[in-house]
Amino acid sequence: MSLIQEPLPSEYLGLSQDEMDRRIRQNKSRLGSKLVILGHHYQRDDVICYADYRGDSLKLSQLAARERQAEYIVFCGVHFMAETADVLTSPQQKVILPDLMAGCSMADMAELAQVEECWDSLEAEYGKEIIPVTYVNSTADIKAFCGRHRGMTCTSSNAGRIFARLLQEDRIILFLPDEHLGRNTGLEYGVKPEEMLLWDPEAQDRELPVQPPRLVLWNGFCSVHQKFTPDQIDQIRKKNAGIKVLVHPECSSAVVSKADLAGSTEFIIRTVSESPAGSSWAVGTELNLVNRLAKENPDKQVLCLNETMCLCVTMNRIDRPHLLWALDNLAAGRVGNQIKIDPATAGEARLALDRMLEISS
Ligand code: SF4
């Protein structure tokens, strides 16, 4: 969900990098332990350098919830991440997104009304217990929908454990909103392609198969990871003998099946960092992270599988001027761009998150 961001006051537009750096640091020290800045792994270098914590969206939200003395949580990520932080933190903590236009195209591909329509059709057709599972990269509304319907959230690290449990119980899984993470996990846990149903919310005259599917996939995707192709893997292997290809499971199943390894962002970071000196990696994930991995592992070759267009452009909207503006407001006692989820939605979304943690811990 992208909201309208007020234009930044003109005084922020002409500031030098040094001036912004000085003022951001000054605000941080003035606000002290009242402030925690969270930086998602895909964040740009000139912003993530101010983060008190770096990580994926769920880990950052859990860390923020533990920092109970912090009244202000500034989330340098995208909208759904700030929503999750608000769901998990205590009522006196305020979550701030420095640019409200920092949305996520994947999360926006599943709207609540569309998901409810899908749910009604599946229940009417199959009458069997269907469990909705949403990737944490989804809006609070969709997480709450899962909470209401005995469902749960998942991350790219624990999707496998959740699928294993539900498939063993012979449930139909409705997986939202990322087709690819759902398909890749389903294939890994023994669901055949013909046992999957792809749900297009825009389809007209839909006919459901008589045989109930084991897995219903919402046809959402990440605009960054969708850009990786099997052909890029062939090309990079041709040019770099011995290179290993490591991709995120938001890539298509054609890419994941051709890669040497696939896993979550934390898995990618760990795999490259722990590999021996001289290793060579082509990494299929967001470019800011790949470039950072290359810098932090100078004894290894780390390339992006596709160097032309793999930035998360919405996350990149959080830049130094927006961060400085958000911190200036806080230092002056004003809270701008607070992300607040209504208590009923937050309660149901928390239920979905708790069920995930129960199964995956
Ligand atoms: S990288 Fe993809 S899934 Fe992640 S925030 Fe950007 S668009 Fe959304």
Side-chain angles (χ1 to χ4, degrees):
M1 183 198 308
S2 301
L3 302 169
I4 303 299
Q5 172 69 47
E6 298 280 319
L8 277 188
S10 54
E11 59 166 295
Y12 290 93
L13 303 180
L15 294 175
S16 70
Q17 292 297 328
D18 284 351
E19 174 67 0
M20 287 188 280
D21 178 63
R22 187 187 64 73
R23 285 175 53 182
I24 289 171
R25 291 183 194 283
Q26 194 177 54
N27 279 325
K28 274 194 79 171
S29 76
R30 192 173 295 161
L31 289 160
S33 61
K34 280 170 81 176
L35 170 73
V36 166
I37 300 181
L38 306 176
H40 187 271
H41 285 308
Y42 299 166
Q43 196 53 254
R44 43 201 296 161
D45 281 352
D46 61 353
V47 166
I48 207 167
C49 59
Y50 303 111
D52 297 297
Y53 297 107
R54 294 179 188 191
D56 59 28
S57 63
L58 182 66
K59 176 177 150 189
L60 289 174
S61 299
Q62 289 171 318
L63 282 165
R66 267 180 239 148
E67 297 270 346
R68 295 183 77 85
Q69 83 296 337
E71 191 181 338
Y72 308 124
I73 311 295
V74 174
F75 210 131
C76 298
V78 296
H79 194 268
F80 77 80
M81 300 176 184
E83 285 189 333
T84 305
D86 185 57
V87 166
L88 292 179
T89 49
S90 55
Q92 64 274 16
Q93 292 179 293
K94 297 176 181 64
V95 179
I96 291 125
L97 185 65
D99 185 339
L100 294 179
M101 300 288 278
C104 164
S105 51
M106 179 204 282
D108 290 346
M109 285 175 194
E111 286 175 17
L112 182 59
Q114 297 173 323
V115 173
E116 281 171 339
E117 192 194 328
C118 166
W119 178 259
D120 290 345
S121 304
L122 294 174
E123 279 211 318
E125 185 70 24
Y126 301 120
K128 194 177 162 184
E129 195 169 14
I130 304 162
I131 300 291
V133 178
T134 188
Y135 190 19
V136 286
N137 296 20
S138 55
T139 62
D141 276 348
I142 298 302
K143 291 185 181 81
F145 172 88
C146 292
R148 266 198 301 287
H149 293 280
R150 302 180 304 277
M152 61 207 75
T153 59
C154 76
T155 65
S156 50
S157 309
N158 62 28
R161 253 170 291 163
I162 286 169
F163 271 48
R165 163 80 77 92
L166 296 175
L167 291 168
Q168 192 188 24
E169 292 172 356
D170 198 26
R171 315 276 195 211
I172 298 175
I173 301 173
L174 166 59
F175 190 77
L176 305 153
D178 183 20
E179 174 194 342
H180 302 300
L181 177 62
R183 188 180 296 283
N184 288 319
T185 312
L187 289 171
E188 194 183 340
Y189 284 82
V191 184
K192 299 190 187 93
E194 61 273 21
E195 294 171 325
M196 300 182 194
L197 171 68
L198 185 60
W199 188 274
D200 175 1
E202 308 294 339
Q204 308 287 330
D205 304 327
R206 184 180 293 109
E207 230 179 85
L208 294 177
V210 178
Q211 180 69 23
R214 295 178 74 199
L215 175 58
V216 181
L217 300 166
W218 197 261
N219 76 340
F221 58 86
C222 164
S223 46
V224 174
H225 291 96
Q226 171 107 333
K227 292 214 176 76
F228 296 106
T229 64
D231 187 51
Q232 290 160 2
I233 299 183
D234 291 337
Q235 295 304 322
I236 213 154
R237 280 182 176 146
K238 223 183 265 172
K239 285 192 210 144
N240 301 273
I243 198 162
K244 286 249 168 53
V245 178
L246 171 58
V247 300
H248 194 280
E250 287 171 24
C251 296
S252 71
S253 58
V255 169
V256 168
S257 61
K258 203 161 214 193
D260 295 287
L261 290 166
S264 65
T265 303
E266 298 284 350
F267 172 82
I268 289 173
I269 294 170
R270 202 171 51 244
T271 302
V272 173
S273 310
E274 292 176 1
S275 65
S279 313
S280 195
W281 295 98
V283 184
T285 193
E286 207 272 348
L287 189 58
N288 278 323
L289 172 61
V290 181
N291 287 341
R292 197 169 304 124
L293 272 176
K295 254 189 249 163
E296 290 171 358
N297 291 274
D299 55 340
K300 297 154 203 170
Q301 182 188 29
V302 182
L303 306 175
C304 186
L305 184 53
N306 170 11
E307 280 177 319
T308 53
M309 254 302 285
C310 286
L311 280 172
C312 178
V313 287
T314 46
M315 193 169 309
N316 268 261
R317 295 189 69 98
I318 310 284
D319 54 12
R320 274 187 178 173
H322 283 87
L323 177 60
L324 174 59
W325 170 77
L327 297 184
D328 275 352
N329 274 335
L330 295 178
R334 293 185 300 266
V335 179
N337 288 10
Q338 185 180 355
I339 304 298
K340 189 88 200 112
I341 305 301
D342 71 83
T345 305
E348 290 176 331
R350 200 174 309 114
L351 206 56
L353 288 157
D354 287 346
R355 287 196 192 113
M356 166 186 75
L357 294 173
E358 204 177 294
I359 292 190
S360 62
S361 57

